[in-house]
Amino acid sequence: MKQSIGIFDSGLGGLTVLKVLAQKFPQESFCYLGDIARLPYGNKSPETIRKYGVQILNFLKDQNVKALIIACNSASTVFLGEHDFEGIPLLNVIEPGSREALRVSSDKKIAVLGTSATIRSHAYEKTLKELDSASVVIEQACPLFVPLVEEGIVSDPITELVAERYLAEIKKEKIKTVILGCTHYPVLRPDLSKTLGPEVTLVESGEVLSLQLKTLFESGKIKAEPTSSRQIRVCITDLTDHFERLAQKLMNPEPIGQLEKVVL
Ligand code: DGL
């Protein structure tokens, strides 16, 4: 029976990650779970986020997955350093994102943008310092970015004003490498680039996760599926027309089937 790759996020923002993975691994099937009913995770406590995360990992485990990916940065902070879930390889976005930021940075001065939960956890700062003790890290919570993306307010004067406010210190410190430590932020790339300038490198989770996944295949920990028709399932814990439209928009031009409403 065809096995898929399980991937989860607190909502639909993780589709920015799924889209990249679906394009990089065209023969693989994916099962995505967006916990829309309980979104956002970014303002919740580590205990609550972990409880939700374990429920979702169990749900995905039951869907015949061969690997599990936590696309949500806020959820990744509470599974840091855990590389399997009940025997299934588990990837989070924080370790690969930190490695990639250090790889592309020439001065090791790195800024991290994220939700309040992600920034409060200092997960990126800890990981970056563990990987390179000489790194200098500035962390910035950007809680208004997620609702702006959810409302489709992108490439807009309001978004630019908010970006100017959040990114002021990063600009002042002349940071050249910025980790987009939240599933939703790749959608804001045009606004962020405009505010920060073209010389600043923005590190996204989707790209770095695809390298991690490639390593899992190469090491033999998971096996590639034979080239036959693949399936991309998008399951969510609540469903309205708004989510249907947002999902299509975030995955465009990758086609997705009907969203499935599931109970965890
Ligand atoms: N998916 C979350 C993250 O990457 C953003 C949305 C939320 O706050 O739940 O941190």
Side-chain angles (χ1 to χ4, degrees):
M1 193 173 141
K2 221 168 155 53
Q3 279 196 303
S4 61
I5 294 163
I7 171 163
F8 92 79
D9 180 37
S10 53
L12 290 176
L15 292 177
T16 57
V17 173
L18 176 62
K19 178 171 149 181
V20 175
L21 297 179
Q23 287 169 342
K24 300 258 180 200
F25 299 91
Q27 81 284 10
E28 294 297 326
S29 289
F30 291 89
C31 180
Y32 178 94
L33 187 287
D35 193 8
I36 282 168
R38 299 186 291 199
L39 177 91
Y41 282 14
N43 59 9
K44 296 199 166 62
S45 68
E47 296 73 30
T48 300
I49 299 174
R50 182 154 181 112
K51 187 174 88 186
Y52 294 170
V54 169
Q55 273 177 359
I56 295 170
L57 291 172
N58 273 312
F59 168 84
L60 290 171
K61 193 179 131 223
D62 292 342
Q63 312 305 309
N64 189 29
V65 296
K66 59 187 170 191
L68 290 160
I69 297 175
I70 308 176
C72 178
N73 287 258
S74 306
S76 287
T77 66
V78 297
F79 288 93
L80 213 57
E82 296 180 41
H83 299 295
D84 83 278
F85 179 76
E86 300 188 7
I88 303 173
L90 177 67
L91 299 180
N92 73 67
V93 285
I94 297 194
E95 285 151 3
S98 302
R99 265 202 194 89
E100 178 63 6
L102 286 169
R103 190 186 71 77
V104 299
S105 165
S106 52
D107 58 5
K108 308 297 170 208
K109 283 173 80 177
I110 293 163
V112 182
L113 309 181
T115 64
S116 301
T118 297
I119 298 307
R120 223 186 303 119
S121 76
H122 301 297
Y124 274 107
E125 185 182 22
K126 281 184 220 149
T127 308
L128 286 160
K129 294 248 185 233
E130 262 167 40
L131 292 168
D132 187 337
S133 57
S135 56
V136 176
V137 186
I138 290 187
E139 299 177 292
Q140 176 66 52
C142 309
L144 289 174
F145 280 168
V146 167
L148 285 170
V149 173
E150 295 279 328
E151 291 301 323
I153 305 174
V154 178
S155 300
D156 186 281
I158 298 176
T159 326
E160 278 172 32
L161 267 180
V162 176
E164 282 292 344
R165 169 77 67 95
Y166 286 148
L167 306 178
E169 196 191 341
I170 294 168
K171 278 173 80 172
K172 197 173 122 226
E173 296 294 328
K174 300 195 173 16
I175 306 276
K176 295 282 171 287
T177 311
V178 176
I179 298 178
L180 303 187
C182 174
T183 46
H184 288 58
Y185 300 176
V187 178
L188 298 174
R189 187 177 259 277
D191 304 275
L192 301 177
S193 280
K194 192 168 170 194
T195 308
L196 289 168
E199 69 285 5
V200 174
T201 305
L202 304 176
V203 178
E204 280 185 31
S205 305
E207 296 292 334
V208 292
L209 268 173
S210 70
L211 294 174
Q212 291 286 107
L213 199 53
K214 195 163 160 257
T215 309
L216 277 187
F217 282 116
E218 284 168 356
S219 66
K221 287 198 175 128
I222 58 173
K223 294 208 177 357
E225 295 301 315
T227 39
S228 60
S229 62
R230 66 113 171 256
Q231 201 191 12
I232 297 184
R233 287 177 65 197
V234 178
C235 304
I236 52 179
T237 50
D238 196 10
L239 182 59
T240 68
D241 292 352
H242 171 74
F243 296 131
E244 290 273 8
R245 282 195 301 277
L246 186 60
Q248 304 289 350
K249 201 163 137 193
L250 291 174
M251 281 298 280
N252 185 46
E254 287 297 307
I256 47 168
Q258 196 88 32
L259 302 191
E260 293 174 47
K261 184 168 174 204
V262 298
V263 178
L264 295 176

